[in-house]
Amino acid sequence: SIFFDWHSLKQLGFDFSQLGSETFDREHELMQDTAYMYVPLSRIQGFCYTIDASRSDFITRKKNDELPRRINPKLIKFSRFRFDSRTKELLGPRLVDPWKDAEP
């Protein structure tokens, strides 16, 4: 999957008001893109460890030192939403396994 950080979403023109009362964590949160596309290796920006968790769950895990330890803490992110980068529409909660988690 491709994930977008706050700056990339803003640059794309995503309307953050779609999140309602939820606040997007500019430092630790990513959003999963559901638009499938083949990407040349030259477009891959980097990597990180992305946890499927709520914001409060992520903060609790961080406080309790329950995040992965063998990776730079700056590379540990969380993701709770998915969207379509073509339509810029919020689609709901993140799907960890689209084959199992998708609605019938």
Side-chain angles (χ1 to χ4, degrees), residues 42-77:
S42 60
R43 277 203 53 214
I44 295 175
Q45 300 283 319
F47 67 94
C48 67
Y49 192 96
T50 309
I51 297 171
D52 180 34
S54 69
R55 184 180 191 164
S56 60
D57 210 19
F58 179 80
I59 291 168
T60 301
R61 288 181 190 186
K62 191 173 182 178
K63 272 190 222 175
N64 295 337
D65 197 29
E66 295 174 347
L67 296 176
R69 294 188 180 124
R70 294 185 177 195
I71 190 169
N72 182 333
K74 291 180 180 180
L75 298 176
I76 301 172
K77 309 290 183 181

Side-chain angles (χ1 to χ4, degrees), residues 20-96:
S21 62
E22 297 289 336
T23 304
F24 195 84
D25 185 324
R26 294 181 185 197
E27 185 179 351
H28 299 108
E29 189 165 8
L30 302 174
M31 193 175 297
Q32 181 183 25
D33 187 3
T34 60
Y36 294 101
M37 64 186 103
Y38 290 97
V39 181
L41 288 176
S42 60
R43 277 203 53 214
I44 295 175
Q45 300 283 319
F47 67 94
C48 67
Y49 192 96
T50 309
I51 297 171
D52 180 34
S54 69
R55 184 180 191 164
S56 60
D57 210 19
F58 179 80
I59 291 168
T60 301
R61 288 181 190 186
K62 191 173 182 178
K63 272 190 222 175
N64 295 337
D65 197 29
E66 295 174 347
L67 296 176
R69 294 188 180 124
R70 294 185 177 195
I71 190 169
N72 182 333
K74 291 180 180 180
L75 298 176
I76 301 172
K77 309 290 183 181
F78 73 97
S79 177
R80 55 194 167 141
F81 301 114
R82 62 190 165 95
F83 84 114
D84 186 326
S85 62
R86 294 171 295 196
T87 63
K88 301 173 188 73
E89 182 183 353
L90 182 68
L91 299 176
R94 177 181 169 203
L95 299 179
V96 176

